[in-house]
Amino acid sequence: MKEAPFDIKRYGPRALLLEWPRKVDPDILMDILSFRDYLAGTRLKEGSWEFVPVYHTLTLIDPTGQADMAAVRRALPAWYASRPRDTPVATQRWELPVCYQAPFGIDLEETAKTLGMDPQQLISLHSGRDYLVYGIGFLPGFLYLGGIPQELELPRRAQPRPRVPRGAVGLAGKQTGVYPQESPGGWHILGNCPVPIFNAEKDPPCLVAPGDRICFRSVSRAEYDLHKIEGEV
């Protein structure tokens, strides 16, 4: 039997952490999502188990505390080896409007200067391309998006803000993302998205899922306001 590509660790009394190689890699993420779908559909029925895929890891959580975690841990490599490999992962592509104009692009000019380009170049590089959703957290609905151009890579802000507005679209390291609610944050804020990403009253509460793709579309303030009104209906 081929060895599984992940290590397995206990993650408290009710969870197991599966770790693939520590890389930001779309093939690894798709492998994780494929295995998650197989487990949820056949071995660990969804509803009684929770699955949390993020970057190179998959966390399996038994909310009931009734599962034999040792037995599940022993079975996982064989389950991985026996699963079908030709079943595609169901994903979606989302186009999200972003207004990069004042007052939303709080760090746009400073970030452009740091990167050695003008603001319009930064907007052109950041928008109009697909980003892969590698995970959701640290806030409910916060999207970690990979695939930014190398020209836009830069460290987090040296001094985090105590308040970043809801819908802020930020840039940090090799990632971009959308703040689903007001919170502290240290990312460079380039604009704002008026489309609500997370709503606790909906099922599922998050509009987007890991494995989906996001494309940001630059819009005017007038179009932003229209989307804002539509999103509040």
Side-chain angles (χ1 to χ4, degrees):
M1 181 178 68
K2 183 179 179 181
E3 185 177 356
F6 50 80
D7 295 323
I8 308 171
K9 299 177 181 178
R10 286 299 297 263
Y11 206 57
R14 298 185 178 185
L16 295 171
L17 179 68
L18 281 57
E19 291 187 309
W20 274 252
R22 289 178 174 268
K23 295 189 293 184
V24 179
D25 186 308
D27 291 336
I28 289 177
L29 180 65
M30 289 300 114
D31 192 45
I32 289 172
L33 297 177
S34 174
F35 191 38
R36 174 206 61 185
D37 291 349
Y38 172 71
L39 293 175
T42 61
R43 303 293 187 174
L44 306 173
K45 292 294 186 178
E46 197 165 12
S48 57
W49 283 80
E50 295 177 9
F51 304 88
V52 184
V54 180
Y55 285 106
H56 63 279
T57 67
L58 175 63
T59 305
L60 313 177
I61 305 169
D62 168 32
T64 68
Q66 297 177 356
D68 184 341
M69 301 302 282
V72 172
R73 180 173 183 170
R74 289 193 299 270
L76 282 167
W79 289 346
Y80 178 87
S82 64
R83 86 190 203 281
R85 303 304 174 104
D86 56 354
T87 304
V89 176
T91 62
Q92 298 187 66
R93 182 182 183 272
W94 305 88
E95 185 177 276
L96 298 181
V98 176
C99 184
Y100 295 90
Q101 300 172 11
F104 304 121
I106 304 170
D107 300 316
L108 182 65
E109 290 193 12
E110 180 184 346
T111 302
K113 183 177 180 180
T114 300
L115 294 171
M117 61 183 70
D118 63 54
Q120 190 54 52
Q121 284 179 296
L122 197 164
I123 294 170
S124 297
L125 281 169
H126 184 261
S127 62
R129 65 178 61 241
D130 283 4
Y131 297 102
L132 183 61
V133 182
Y134 278 94
I136 299 177
F138 65 106
L139 299 168
F142 186 95
L143 307 179
Y144 285 100
L145 309 178
I148 68 169
Q150 189 175 3
E151 300 96 311
L152 298 186
E153 294 179 11
L154 78 169
R156 290 169 174 262
R157 288 174 52 86
Q159 184 65 42
R161 287 188 173 90
R163 296 175 63 183
V164 175
R166 175 186 178 186
V169 177
L171 191 69
K174 297 178 180 291
Q175 305 169 109
T176 187
V178 183
Y179 285 77
Q181 61 198 61
E182 183 182 284
S183 74
W187 291 33
H188 305 269
I189 305 305
L190 307 182
N192 195 283
C193 174
V195 177
I197 300 297
F198 181 85
N199 187 334
E201 297 180 359
K202 292 186 177 181
D203 184 20
C206 190
L207 180 69
V208 180
D212 286 356
R213 292 189 176 271
I214 299 288
C215 177
F216 295 125
R217 179 171 59 87
S218 179
V219 299
S220 66
R221 177 61 190 266
E223 187 173 348
Y224 172 93
D225 289 340
L226 178 60
H227 284 293
K228 188 78 171 176
I229 293 170
E230 292 173 343
E232 293 173 351
V233 174

